[in-house]
Amino acid sequence: MQIFAFYLFASIVIASGAFCIFARNPVHSVLWLILAFFNAAGLMLLVGAEFIAALLVIVYVGAVAVLFLFVVMMLDIDFAELRAGFMKNLPLGLLLALVLLAEIIFGIGAWSAGGMGEATAVVGPPAGGPSNIEALGTLLYTKYVFIFEAAGLVLLVAMVGAIVLTNRKRGGVRIQNIQEQVARRPQDATRNEQPEVGKGVEL
Amino acid sequence: MTEYLQSTFLGPEIGWLVATLALILLIALPLMLAVAMIIYVDRKIIAAVALRRGPNVVGPFGLLQSFADGLKVFLQETIIPSGANKGLFLLAPIITFTVALLAWAVIPFSEEMVLANINIGVLYILAISSLGVYGVVISGWASNSKYPFFSAMRAAAQMISYEVSIGFILISVVLFAGTFNLNEIIKAQEGHIFGAVSAYGLNPLLFPMAVMFLISSMAETARAPFDLTEAESELVAGYQTEYSSMSFALFWLGEYANILLMCALNVILFWGGWLPPVDWEPLYAVPGIIWLFLKMFMIFFIFSWAWATVPRYRYDQLMRLGWKVFLPISIFWVFLVSGYVMIDKFGWPL
């Protein structure tokens, strides 16, 4: 059963990763990417890391990818222009591909040399011990508390930076003041007039 | 049932598979029936508020109205707009419907009646409900039509906004209960108030959270007064505009299955789940599933009530409520709750 699930998830991850690159429409690319994320979460479940799997779905599929999709859908894409850039960026792309290929070959070489054999032997939390969430929480808030907080600080700085970059004063914006709107009564906005015949109302 | 089937000729692996499939059907089929009936209830309540009769022609008291509607939709022709992205156009309602059913796997109907009693139940629910937006966004884009597209943009913004505060509300309940398992959360509520009433919602520290969660769950399911995604005066029918026949019905079913799920979550997190409301021995004679359904019905009544009485929010009001009201309050409340839990466990630090 687990073997079947592993090959199912793994093959979908690889296939959707490939489709993500080869899809002509960028929206399709993002959707394939989401499928890859989702199945990667399934792989995490198989190695017993259910907390990481849940985080992967919540953070990447549920938030990051939605924003990706949001932006890509709104882009006005000229396909001819995209093709034109292909030849220009080809050498750089080939270089990147070569580097990645070399890394994979080194990785497989190191693995077949037996260096990582022991590390991969332990799969999932030990039975009867604390669950993944408890173990992670204990580590994060005791041993690695300063690194954890530093990571939080980095994220905060990034957030403030993003707000500063996008927050510019624009003219002609009518800001809604909810208190004022709620406090408004009919007598503030209307009045009864009984104009004489042939005379209008002075507004 | 799983153990029994595994002990028969099927063997442990096949037996497990057959039992799980049977249990899934045992949840999904009654859920479809419940959705049909809750649509009827919804229409009746809204009609009563508007001093109308509501559906009363098909069957006794109009009880079969939803089935008649379902049959009608089933017999209609599926129309696919020529400019639409065909594959995604058909995929979107399927995603909405599937995701709405997926989350029910971890909902405990009584102490034993739960399909997957996993230890990250709350996170699973959060993960699955964050997927719900894809059906709407994909349908809006694949329709290749401007109103569905507007609707999809609104839906994406709205669901992300309210998910943030829902996350913080869930965290405070988890801090109180000390577990992510939904069944354990329910058990932690037993006799929570003066050893008598089983509900986190009546705890003065958690009551504001219960109210915010109720409102956020209305916004998360795009239910009136937050139904900007299908605001008929601006967007025709929103993301469903180009849909017809069964693909439309799948959206409809998924939407109501989601609403029922949110009702169940409200009940499980704040109102004691399958526990009787008062911790009194004779009340335990009533099966837990009855209590769960009664409480879910009460929450659904509030949903319908709000639909019938509250006018639709403006877009800026919706965003203001999510980001400027709920988010700061829920963050502050997480601090309060965690402080209380610390003091409760370890005493005053001084």
Side-chain angles (χ1 to χ4, degrees):
Chain A
M1 186 65 102
Q2 272 182 332
I3 295 287
F4 173 72
F6 170 77
Y7 281 111
L8 181 74
F9 289 140
S11 52
I12 294 178
V13 168
I14 292 173
S16 51
F19 279 123
C20 171
I21 298 168
F22 293 121
R24 297 211 161 163
N25 192 326
V27 174
H28 291 186
S29 276
V30 175
L31 290 174
W32 285 116
L33 183 69
I34 292 163
L35 191 65
F37 280 153
F38 200 69
N39 283 283
L43 284 176
M44 298 283 184
L45 274 185
L46 282 183
V47 295
E50 76 276 357
F51 184 63
I52 306 290
L55 280 194
L56 190 66
V57 175
I58 293 171
V59 175
Y60 281 92
V61 181
V64 175
V66 174
L67 292 178
F68 262 25
L69 201 59
F70 198 88
V71 173
V72 169
M73 277 181 180
M74 290 207 284
L75 285 178
D76 186 24
I77 294 156
D78 186 358
F79 289 104
E81 202 175 311
L82 278 181
R83 300 275 154 63
F86 182 74
M87 285 314 287
K88 196 183 76 188
N89 293 327
L90 191 62
L92 187 67
L94 280 179
L95 188 70
L96 271 178
L98 272 178
V99 170
L100 285 177
L101 185 69
E103 283 190 350
I104 290 173
I105 291 172
F106 279 134
I108 291 176
W111 179 69
S112 55
M116 281 159 65
E118 285 89 328
T120 49
V122 182
V123 167
S131 69
N132 272 330
I133 299 174
E134 284 172 70
L136 264 178
T138 321
L139 269 185
L140 277 185
Y141 286 100
T142 53
K143 195 172 172 190
Y144 298 110
V145 66
F146 291 116
I147 301 172
F148 182 61
E149 285 180 355
L153 202 67
V154 171
L155 281 178
L156 183 70
V157 170
M159 201 163 73
V160 172
I163 292 171
V164 168
L165 281 178
T166 52
N167 192 12
R168 57 205 149 112
K169 273 272 178 284
R170 280 180 299 176
V173 180
R174 301 176 70 181
I175 294 169
Q176 306 278 349
N177 187 342
I178 300 289
Q179 278 81 17
E180 231 167 59
Q181 291 173 1
V182 171
R184 203 165 137 103
R185 298 285 140 214
Q187 51 268 30
D188 302 336
T190 59
R191 70 192 145 108
N192 271 335
E193 292 278 348
Q194 301 270 316
E196 287 170 37
V197 177
K199 285 183 180 169
V201 176
E202 198 72 19
L203 283 176
Chain B
M1 186 161 122
T2 313
E3 285 80 22
Y4 169 73
L5 276 174
Q6 281 176 332
S7 67
T8 58
F9 65 94
L10 291 167
E13 293 239 321
I14 308 281
W16 177 85
L17 199 68
V18 172
T20 309
L21 282 178
L23 288 174
I24 288 171
L25 285 181
L26 212 60
I27 292 177
L29 295 181
L31 180 66
M32 286 301 97
L33 196 68
V35 164
M37 292 326 288
I38 214 73
I39 291 174
Y40 166 77
V41 168
D42 198 19
R43 293 174 67 176
K44 273 286 188 194
I45 292 171
I46 293 168
V49 174
L51 295 181
R52 291 181 285 114
R53 281 180 190 277
N56 65 347
V57 176
V58 190
F61 310 106
L63 273 169
L64 301 178
Q65 180 68 50
S66 299
F67 299 102
D69 289 345
L71 195 66
K72 180 198 77 177
V73 161
F74 192 68
L75 294 174
Q76 280 173 336
E77 182 195 353
T78 305
I79 299 166
I80 300 173
S82 56
N85 193 318
K86 197 174 172 192
L88 289 179
F89 185 81
L90 290 177
L91 189 69
I94 299 173
I95 291 178
T96 305
F97 183 71
T98 316
V99 165
L101 287 188
L102 269 179
W104 285 90
V106 294
I107 298 291
F109 295 98
S110 73
E111 191 166 358
E112 297 85 25
M113 280 166 76
V114 45
L115 177 61
N117 198 7
I118 54 176
N119 64 351
I120 51 160
V122 175
L123 286 177
Y124 177 83
I125 295 267
L126 203 62
I128 295 297
S129 74
S130 67
L131 294 181
V133 66
Y134 283 111
V136 178
V137 171
I138 292 174
S139 71
W141 185 79
S143 296
N144 201 7
S145 160
K146 65 183 105 158
Y147 294 125
F149 190 63
F150 281 142
S151 165
M153 292 291 117
R154 285 185 182 186
Q158 174 176 345
M159 288 191 186
I160 287 184
S161 312
Y162 281 84
E163 229 151 61
V164 182
S165 56
I166 282 186
F168 281 114
I169 294 166
L170 290 179
I171 284 291
S172 64
V173 174
V174 166
L175 279 173
F176 237 93
T179 171
F180 275 95
N181 183 313
L182 291 176
N183 235 338
E184 299 292 324
I185 288 177
I186 293 174
K187 280 185 208 155
Q189 296 179 43
E190 193 172 343
H192 183 67
I193 311 292
F194 306 125
V197 184
S198 307
Y200 271 164
L202 292 178
N203 183 325
L205 203 54
L206 286 176
F207 179 72
M209 289 305 218
V211 175
M212 280 199 294
F213 190 69
L214 184 69
I215 298 172
S216 299
S217 50
M218 280 180 205
E220 183 75 5
T221 51
R223 186 77 184 163
F226 303 103
D227 57 344
L228 281 120
T229 53
E230 41 199 277
E232 65 279 344
S233 52
E234 308 152 26
L235 298 181
V236 193
Y239 59 93
Q240 305 164 342
T241 306
E242 305 290 345
Y243 282 87
S244 57
S245 168
M246 275 314 280
S247 48
F248 176 77
L250 281 182
F251 272 126
W252 201 237
L253 288 173
E255 204 172 291
Y256 271 89
N258 254 334
I259 290 166
L260 278 181
L261 177 80
M262 277 300 174
C263 293
L265 262 192
N266 268 289
V267 168
I268 288 167
L269 293 176
F270 290 105
W271 306 105
W274 38 259
L275 287 170
V278 181
D279 200 18
W280 184 46
E281 202 53 44
L283 287 181
Y284 282 92
V286 180
I289 192 166
I290 305 264
W291 287 122
L292 183 80
F293 285 169
L294 274 179
K295 290 173 183 175
M296 273 169 65
F297 188 78
M298 300 291 280
I299 301 284
F300 186 79
F301 183 77
I302 299 177
F303 269 56
S304 291
W305 194 4
W307 173 310
T309 45
V310 185
R312 181 178 296 132
Y313 265 53
R314 235 170 33 212
Y315 190 70
D316 67 294
Q317 290 171 329
L318 178 90
M319 284 297 147
R320 175 182 166 271
L321 187 70
W323 290 108
K324 290 186 174 174
V325 180
F326 280 2
L327 185 61
I329 293 180
S330 56
I331 291 180
F332 177 66
W333 234 266
V334 169
F335 277 107
L336 271 188
V337 167
S338 43
Y340 172 80
V341 171
M342 279 293 278
I343 291 167
D344 195 43
K345 261 192 181 157
F346 304 109
W348 282 98
L350 304 175

